[in-house]
């Protein structure tokens, strides 16, 4: 149901972006990119208050004809953006929240690895290491996959 | 230890079995007797006859067992004939035992005859997975025993071939097997072979280990031990202890639950080592190591960052960014395994999981738990030897740059001898005795560490770079003299940054006696000089370095100093230095010139050591610089890649 999931770093470059394999995946990338403006807007609107009081879940960023884009920002200004298909009417806000929460948890697991440099891409497979499927990142990946595969 | 075979065997000599064989055979017999029916009885037709009574082994399992021994059919026929089963029509205990012994004989290459029964033979080997106990005890024991001993050289290839076949059959970790399946040519490979082979057997087996095989192995091992003179006493004992340790490790664990992945099992010796390393990073064993500290430490292992990242993810089970002691042991073990060529597992093996590790090694080694008592019986020489080999392989990599630094330092020492003279008068004038004392105190452990060249030294030193800064910091901070600060100022920030502190503190054990005595001689003239130069203040100052809560090198320095002085000629002065200060000056004044010479030598040594430290630090910093450069390049690449994106 999630058509595209992206993790954007604080400096607004993507740490991880993955969409379901369709043609023209680039449009998802574009949508995520444009949604960053909306995210920044929402952050700054709430930004007067302290970070703790700011809600992590940003809710629906903007709807398009086919898709809806939801956002979530962590305390370290890492943004999660999720694009879902509009035809999934059964998808409720709570579900989106839970999905983001899971994403956040997986992300923190990846972060906890001291060998992960903040700002690295979250790849699930280390280069030139056939068996070195990095497990936590793989878990991250697989979790994202599960979000995408889940058919509502 | 030997017991005559029970029951009457009408023909043939009484069967003398060692206790181990007795137990093993009885085990097998019970198994065969207990097994109902067994598999297809395509064995020797005589054996296939149904057997009456509870004390006889069922024909089916017996046939399977015999077939599992991989002897040719006619040999098996011969054996059954000889053992009397053919005659009496069933496999009673006697017949069974005789048959087993004959199988062992046949497998050892001895002719199948009654006379063979009299020989001391290894236990028979059985290939089939059903007869797991046999495989378990037979094969590893055979492998080890055969490997080492000359009489069993013939069987060596056989066993090894069988092992290989088994491996292929059982399809155990094929990546693990492949580097190790070739006949071992070097001890490290050899050490790995029993690991993998023995454990691969275990992997295929499903039952628990019986006490019999373990004890069977013991007597098996004991006769093997003394009989192998040529390779040296130690290797067979090592193999024996290796076997024992593996059996020990497998046995209690398997009684609880079956963990087939033996390369991932941490032995006691490894555990001790890991715990020591943990303590060097974090004194409190119940607390944890932070991610950055662990990262620095594991980076020393020279594994690639993705691999280390993977290992971290495997071992940090709770994903908290910190390693508790079991997590640390698991991570370290994985690193060591990786350095030795084992591919990393897909998931954390059960033997490395924190709960398991905590349960398996709850107490220090000396206490009498089931595991610990067994592991105590394990002679330490083998375990540390092969593990040291394994770890030295890894630690040697870690010790790469300290080791060349040591060579550098030894060269530096010689070079310094000539150049130190001009520095000396300055030293003499500037530093009070205390500086020399603390210098020599501080320098002494360094001299010890540098002068020693043993592999354990290298290993420890390899591990030392990750030791925490506090230790050298203490020595630095205690240095009260200007000279000392000048000398060590460049190194202090580096050490404080925790990069790669030199190992001044750590290796007291292998301190060679001559360096000690030399340093003893050094400190004594210093002590003598101390009162001579500054009568009142020096003793107190001199005492301060001794009496302060010293870091370990100084403490260790005190210890050898205290007993050693008796052997030295100014011994009385050492003892009396603190107290009989007033008596010193006039005696010291007389020996001024000789003391000056000694002072010069001391200063030379001190400078040499300082140079050595700086050289080491330099090399370490160079390494760091290289790494940072690489990181920078990577970052710049990343930036370049991203820049066009953000321009949009």
């Amino acid at each position: 149901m999630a058509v595209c999931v992206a993790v954007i770093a604080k400096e607004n470059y993507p740490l991880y972006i993955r969409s379901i394999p369709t043609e023209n995946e680039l449009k998802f990338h574009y949508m995520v990119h444009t949604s960053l403006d909306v995210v920044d807007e929402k952050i700054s609107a709430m930004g007067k208050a302290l970070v703790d009081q700011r809600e992590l879940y940003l809710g629906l960023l903007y709807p398009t004809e086919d898709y809806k884009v939801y956002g979530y920002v962590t305390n370290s200004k890492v943004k999660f953006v999720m694009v879902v298909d509009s035809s999934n009417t059964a998808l409720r806000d709570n579900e989106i929240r839970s999905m983001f929460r899971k994403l956040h948890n997986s992300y923190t697991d990846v972060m906890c690895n001291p060998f992960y440099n903040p700002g690295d891409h979250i790849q699930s497979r280390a280069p030139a290491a056939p068996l070195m499927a990095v497990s936590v990142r793989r878990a991250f990946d697989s979790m994202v996959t599960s979000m995408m595969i889940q058919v509502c | 230890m030997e017991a005559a075979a029970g029951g009457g065997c009408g023909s043939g000599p009484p069967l003398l079995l060692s206790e181990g064989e007795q137990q093993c055979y009885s085990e097998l017999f019970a198994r065969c007797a207990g097994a109902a029916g067994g598999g297809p009885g395509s064995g020797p037709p005589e054996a296939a006859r149904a057997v009456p009574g509870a004390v006889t082994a069922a024909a089916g399992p017996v046939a399977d067992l015999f077939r599992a021994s991989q002897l040719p059919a006619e040999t098996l026929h011969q054996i059954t004939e000889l053992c009397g089963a053919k005659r009496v029509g069933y496999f009673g205990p006697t017949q069974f035992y005789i048959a087993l012994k004959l199988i062992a004989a046949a497998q050892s290459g001895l002719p199948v005859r009654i006379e063979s029964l009299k020989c001391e033979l290894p236990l028979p080997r059985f290939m089939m997975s059903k007869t797991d106990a046999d495989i378990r005890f037979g094969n590893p024991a055979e492998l080890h025993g055969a490997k080492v001993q000359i009489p069993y050289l013939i069987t060596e290839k056989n066993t090894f071939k069988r092992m290989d076949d088994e491996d292929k059959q059982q399809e155990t970790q094929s990546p693990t097997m492949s580097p190790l399946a070739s006949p071992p040519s070097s001890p490290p490979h050899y050490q790995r072979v029993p690991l993998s082979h023995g454990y691969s057997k275990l992997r295929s087996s499903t039952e628990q280990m019986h006490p019999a095989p373990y004890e069977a192995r013991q007597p098996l091992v004991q006769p093997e031990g003394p009989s192998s003179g040529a390779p040296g006493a130690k290797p067979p004992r090592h193999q024996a202890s290796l076997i024992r340790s593996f059996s020990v490790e497998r046995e209690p664990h398997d009684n609880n639950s079956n963990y087939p992945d033996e390369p991932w099992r941490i032995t006691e010796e490894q555990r001790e080592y890991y715990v020591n390393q943990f303590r060097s990073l974090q004194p409190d064993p119940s607390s944890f190591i932070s991610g950055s500290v662990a990262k620095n430490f594991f980076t020393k292992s020279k594994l690639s960052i993705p691999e280390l990242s993977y290992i971290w993810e495997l071992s940090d089970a709770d994903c908290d960014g910190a390693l508790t002691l079991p997590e640390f042991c698991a991570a370290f073990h994985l690193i060591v395994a990786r350095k030795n060529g084992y591919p990393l597992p897909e998931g954390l093996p059960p033997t490395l999981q924190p709960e398991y590790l905590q349960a398996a090694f709850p107490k220090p080694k000396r206490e009498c738990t089931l595991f610990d008592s067994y592991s105590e019986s394990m002679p330490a020489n083998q375990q540390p030897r092969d593990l040291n080999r394994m770890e030295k392989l890894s630690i040697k990599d870690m010790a790469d740059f300290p080791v060349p630094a040591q060579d550098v330092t030894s060269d530096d020492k010689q070079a310094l001898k000539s150049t130190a003279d001009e520095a000396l008068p300055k030293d003499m004038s500037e530093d009070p005795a205390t500086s020399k004392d603390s210098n020599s105190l501080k320098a002494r452990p360094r001299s010890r560490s540098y002068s020693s060249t043993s592999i354990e030294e290298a290993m420890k030193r390899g591990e030392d770079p990750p030791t925490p800064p506090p230790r050298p910091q203490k020595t630095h901070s205690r240095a009260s003299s200007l000279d000392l600060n000048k000398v060590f100022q460049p190194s202090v920030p580096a050490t404080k940054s925790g990069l790669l502190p030199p190992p001044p503190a750590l290796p007291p054990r292998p301190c060679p006696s001559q360096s000690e005595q030399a340093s003893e001689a050094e400190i004594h003239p210093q002590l003598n000089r101390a009162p001579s130069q500054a009568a009142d203040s020096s003793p107190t100052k001199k005492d301060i370095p001794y009496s302060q809560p010293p870091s370990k090198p100084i403490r260790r320095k005190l210890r050898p100093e205290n007993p050693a002085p008796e052997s030295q000629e100014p011994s009385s002065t050492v003892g009396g230095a603190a107290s009989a200060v007033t008596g010193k000056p006039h005696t010291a004044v007389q020996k001024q010139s000789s003391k000056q010479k000694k002072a010069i030598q001391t200063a030379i040594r001190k400078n040499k050591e300082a140079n050595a430290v700086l050289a080491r630090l330099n090399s370490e910093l160079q390494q760091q610089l290289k790494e940072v450069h690489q990181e920078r390049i990577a970052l710049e690449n990343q930036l370049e890649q991203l820049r066009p994106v953000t321009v949009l």
Side-chain angles (χ1 to χ4, degrees):
Chain A
M1 49 194 182
V3 164
C4 171
V5 175
V7 177
I8 316 288
K10 185 170 141 187
E11 294 81 6
N12 287 336
Y13 64 87
L15 292 175
Y16 178 89
I17 179 159
R18 186 153 151 235
S19 33
I20 60 173
T22 58
E23 70 282 357
N24 197 13
E25 288 185 25
L26 218 52
K27 83 170 171 238
F28 295 128
H29 292 224
Y30 179 70
M31 288 174 72
V32 167
H33 187 263
T34 52
S35 69
L36 289 179
D37 279 335
V38 186
V39 170
D40 282 339
E41 200 185 305
K42 288 204 184 251
I43 295 178
S44 60
M46 298 193 271
K48 305 295 192 289
L50 287 175
V51 174
D52 320 326
Q53 298 173 9
R54 181 159 52 81
E55 172 85 17
L56 298 179
Y57 174 70
L58 300 175
L60 183 67
L61 296 178
Y62 67 89
T64 63
E65 184 181 317
D66 298 323
Y67 303 103
K68 294 188 206 154
V69 182
Y70 291 89
Y72 182 101
V73 61
T74 68
N75 285 327
S76 55
K77 297 283 175 58
V78 174
K79 303 149 187 103
F80 302 139
V81 175
M82 194 184 318
V83 180
V84 300
D85 205 331
S86 281
S87 54
N88 274 326
T89 50
L91 208 58
R92 285 194 301 272
D93 207 43
N94 284 337
E95 292 167 14
I96 308 279
R97 278 184 198 258
S98 69
M99 281 161 70
F100 272 127
R101 208 172 309 122
K102 281 191 279 181
L103 199 63
H104 197 174
N105 288 335
S106 301
Y107 177 73
T108 50
D109 286 345
V110 172
M111 280 291 133
C112 278
N113 189 333
F115 298 101
Y116 169 83
N117 301 314
D120 279 355
H121 287 283
I122 303 175
Q123 327 175 40
S124 68
R125 196 152 274 267
L131 279 177
M132 291 298 121
V134 188
S135 62
V136 165
R137 301 185 196 179
R138 200 174 34 174
F140 186 86
D141 217 20
S142 60
M143 209 213 47
V144 170
T145 315
S146 70
M147 286 202 288
M148 292 183 173
I149 288 175
Q150 253 175 317
V151 175
C152 289
Chain B
M1 291 284 283
E2 292 186 340
C9 177
S11 66
L15 182 64
L16 294 175
L17 294 174
S18 64
E19 188 172 308
E21 286 175 329
Q22 178 93 1
Q23 300 224 349
C24 153
Y25 293 169
S26 59
E27 186 69 29
L28 286 170
F29 184 73
R31 182 185 304 238
C32 289
S42 59
E46 299 81 11
R49 219 175 303 161
V51 292
V55 292
T56 59
V62 168
D64 291 344
L65 186 69
F66 286 178
R67 256 178 297 120
S69 68
Q70 285 200 335
L71 293 174
E74 52 274 17
T75 317
L76 292 175
H77 279 273
Q78 234 181 336
I79 288 175
T80 47
E81 203 172 346
L82 273 176
C83 76
K86 209 170 184 180
R87 196 172 20 86
V88 301
Y90 57 86
F91 271 103
T94 331
Q95 288 78 33
F96 192 75
Y97 291 175
I98 294 174
L100 288 177
K101 187 97 185 184
L102 286 171
I103 288 175
Q107 286 174 338
S108 310
L110 301 175
V112 178
R113 277 202 292 276
I114 295 295
E115 295 79 61
S116 311
L117 296 178
K118 296 183 185 151
C119 305
E120 234 177 43
L121 291 168
L123 297 170
R125 292 184 307 279
F126 298 96
M127 285 287 304
M128 281 171 56
S129 55
K130 286 179 200 155
T131 59
D132 300 314
D134 310 324
I135 297 172
R136 257 180 275 126
F137 66 67
N139 285 322
E142 260 310 302
L143 181 59
H144 299 312
K147 279 286 172 248
V148 175
Q149 297 177 27
I150 296 172
Y152 296 111
L153 258 174
I154 309 163
T155 60
E156 197 174 313
K157 296 186 191 111
N158 297 340
T159 64
F160 212 73
K161 259 186 252 150
R162 284 203 193 96
M163 301 291 276
D164 288 342
D165 295 337
E166 271 193 65
D167 288 340
K168 287 171 201 142
Q169 283 174 18
Q170 295 170 4
E171 290 184 1
T172 53
Q173 276 183 345
S174 44
T176 324
M177 288 310 128
S178 47
L180 309 170
S182 59
S185 52
S186 62
H189 290 288
Y190 184 71
Q191 301 309 327
R192 263 180 266 152
V193 163
L195 253 179
S196 51
H197 281 293
Y199 294 146
S200 67
K201 302 305 157 291
L202 195 63
R203 195 186 304 274
S204 65
S205 71
T206 52
E207 292 87 319
Q208 61 280 5
M209 180 85 84
H210 303 280
Y214 165 68
E215 281 158 319
R217 215 167 317 186
Q218 255 183 342
L220 163 66
V221 152
Q222 282 162 10
E224 284 176 359
S227 64
S228 69
K234 280 207 172 155
R237 225 179 299 128
H238 295 330
Q239 309 318 323
S241 57
L242 196 64
I243 302 163
R244 215 177 300 151
S245 69
F246 292 148
S247 67
V248 159
E249 301 255 351
R250 265 179 281 165
E251 194 182 313
H253 299 329
D254 292 338
N255 283 336
N256 306 330
S257 53
N258 190 33
Y259 286 133
D261 35 11
E262 299 317 319
W264 310 117
R265 192 181 291 275
I266 299 182
T267 64
E268 188 60 38
E269 177 62 31
Q270 286 176 322
R271 171 83 177 188
E272 282 288 310
Y273 182 73
Y274 300 155
V275 169
N276 289 337
Q277 290 306 316
F278 183 92
R279 283 213 199 90
S280 73
L281 294 175
Q282 161 66 267
D284 178 8
S286 60
S287 171
F288 38 77
I289 298 178
S290 74
S292 48
V293 171
K295 174 180 178 178
N296 289 335
F297 180 73
F298 289 136
T299 313
K300 304 295 178 290
S301 72
K302 302 278 178 60
L303 286 180
S304 66
I305 296 290
E307 292 186 356
L308 288 172
S309 173
Y310 184 63
I311 288 173
W312 175 279
E313 285 166 6
L314 283 181
S315 53
D316 189 9
D318 48 3
C319 284
D320 57 355
L323 295 180
T324 61
L325 181 58
E327 289 173 345
F328 178 83
C329 292
F332 208 134
H333 195 75
L334 284 168
I335 287 177
V336 167
R338 181 79 190 116
K339 299 275 318 176
N340 283 294
Y342 286 96
L344 289 180
E346 291 288 307
L348 191 66
T351 52
L352 287 182
Q353 288 188 355
E355 318 80 39
Y356 177 84
L357 286 177
Q358 268 174 344
F361 299 95
K363 296 174 198 173
K365 194 177 172 184
R366 303 299 161 228
E367 300 189 30
C368 279
T369 61
L370 176 67
F371 313 148
D372 293 338
S373 60
Y374 282 146
S375 54
E376 271 180 358
S377 71
M378 175 178 81
N381 47 13
Q382 175 48 22
Q383 279 301 318
R385 204 157 294 265
D386 64 333
L387 291 167
N388 278 351
R389 232 174 266 117
M390 269 174 64
E391 284 158 357
K392 279 165 208 167
L393 292 178
S394 59
I395 305 306
K396 257 190 182 150
D397 296 338
M398 290 198 219
D400 265 350
F401 43 87
V403 167
Q406 286 159 25
D407 302 336
V408 168
T409 62
S410 55
D411 293 337
D412 283 352
K413 279 184 193 169
Q414 271 106 38
L416 258 177
K417 270 203 165 83
S418 54
T419 58
D421 287 337
E422 62 271 18
L424 253 163
K426 188 176 52 165
D427 290 352
M428 286 293 295
S429 58
E430 278 182 357
D431 56 359
T434 59
S435 74
K436 288 219 177 64
D437 289 342
S438 46
N439 252 354
S440 59
L441 287 175
K442 199 184 341 74
R444 204 161 297 114
R446 229 167 280 121
S447 69
R448 279 188 198 146
S449 65
Y450 294 157
S451 54
S452 167
T453 53
S454 66
I455 298 182
E456 283 83 11
E457 270 303 309
M459 193 170 68
K460 288 191 198 90
R461 231 171 277 113
E463 289 305 285
D464 289 341
T467 56
R471 222 175 274 143
Q473 271 179 6
K474 280 184 202 161
T475 61
H476 291 312
S477 60
R478 204 169 294 114
S480 55
S481 72
L482 283 175
D483 191 66
L484 188 63
N485 287 338
K486 260 196 288 180
V487 168
F488 289 97
Q489 200 137 27
S491 64
V492 164
T495 57
K496 277 193 177 142
S497 72
L499 289 175
L500 297 162
L506 204 55
R509 276 166 268 167
C511 57
S513 57
Q514 59 269 17
S515 74
E516 230 186 286
Q517 294 202 354
S519 52
E520 293 303 327
E522 194 182 298
I523 198 173
H524 297 317
Q526 286 175 12
L527 291 174
N528 290 337
R529 240 183 297 112
S532 73
Q533 289 184 1
D536 293 339
S537 57
S538 65
T540 54
K541 275 192 217 161
K542 184 169 40 70
D543 289 340
I544 286 172
Y546 287 108
S547 61
Q548 276 175 4
S551 67
K552 284 180 187 170
I554 296 185
R555 218 182 272 128
R556 291 190 197 103
K557 220 55 58 60
L558 283 180
R559 263 191 265 114
E561 280 166 14
N562 293 337
E566 283 79 47
S567 61
Q568 304 289 331
E569 52 91 11
S571 57
S572 56
T573 62
V574 176
S579 54
V581 173
T582 54
K584 281 282 190 302
H586 31 270
T587 53
V589 166
Q590 298 166 10
K591 304 173 191 171
Q592 192 77 17
S593 56
S594 64
K595 287 193 186 106
Q596 271 184 356
K597 273 187 216 159
K598 289 177 189 167
I600 289 170
Q601 286 168 2
T602 317
I604 289 173
R605 207 171 294 121
K606 178 188 61 171
N607 281 338
K608 269 187 282 179
E609 282 151 6
N611 255 17
V613 170
L614 288 173
R616 278 203 59 205
L617 271 167
N618 188 28
S619 58
E620 289 159 2
L621 286 172
Q622 290 289 336
Q623 186 71 18
Q624 286 283 331
L625 184 64
K626 249 188 283 176
E627 287 169 10
V628 166
H629 270 312
Q630 285 169 5
E631 277 182 36
R632 185 177 156 213
I633 291 170
L635 282 171
E636 282 178 358
N637 278 342
Q638 219 178 10
L639 192 63
E640 276 304 314
Q641 288 167 13
L642 294 170
R643 199 171 283 151
V645 175
T646 58
V647 162
L648 281 174

